[in-house]
Amino acid sequence: MGFGVVMTPQEDAETARLAFRDAMSRLAAAVHVVTTDGPAGRAGFTASAVTSVTDTPPTLLVCLNRASSVAGLFEKNNVLCVSTLTASQENISRAFGGSTPQEERFATGEWMVGDTGAPVLKNALVSFDCRIESAVASGTHHVLFCQVLGMHTGSDDEDALVYFRRRYHSLG
């Protein structure tokens, strides 16, 4: 049985980056839309790098590319909502993951305002309304530690939207 590609310290940075991205495409992940609103304005992006940290107090980890056009807005607003998408909401993921202007992104779904002021996607599998407690820079990204202040659950009848091998899938 072979192990496939093995990285060595001698690999150049670009080869290592591409090999890592290919390896990570083999990890199935839930698809989320992360949104904010406040003094800096309303914005959002699609993310799969979201996970729980602890339940005391309820805390999520969200990774955000520091070079993205929305990074400064999240930093200034200091609040966000993570809405986990259903299999029928792939269009929302695509809108928030591309070069679609921010206002057009929010036209793809129905939204309400969470306790923090962040947009919450109606009919998401679950949404976590959060205050950003801290941020740690790591490589190209900020790792945001977010205290959950409110949660909204959707229908138990919906399947989850997951991303695996660079494609969307339904899981239910």
Side-chain angles (χ1 to χ4, degrees), residues 1-19:
M1 173 185 241
F3 285 99
V5 176
V6 177
M7 293 301 301
T8 66
Q10 294 79 24
E11 296 283 355
D12 68 82
E14 183 61 11
T15 300
R17 184 183 79 79
L18 294 173

Side-chain angles (χ1 to χ4, degrees), residues 31-35 42-46 83 85-112 119-124 161 168:
V31 180
H32 316 274
V33 169
V34 182
T35 55
R42 185 165 73 161
F45 65 97
T46 298
S83 295
L85 301 182
T86 69
S88 65
Q89 294 172 323
E90 182 179 329
N91 65 321
I92 296 172
S93 175
R94 291 186 184 283
F96 277 80
S99 58
T100 306
Q102 289 297 324
E103 285 309 309
E104 289 180 33
R105 293 177 185 202
F106 287 95
T108 61
E110 291 183 58
W111 301 89
M112 58 187 183
V120 177
L121 180 63
K122 291 182 180 179
N123 302 320
L161 181 64
Y168 291 104

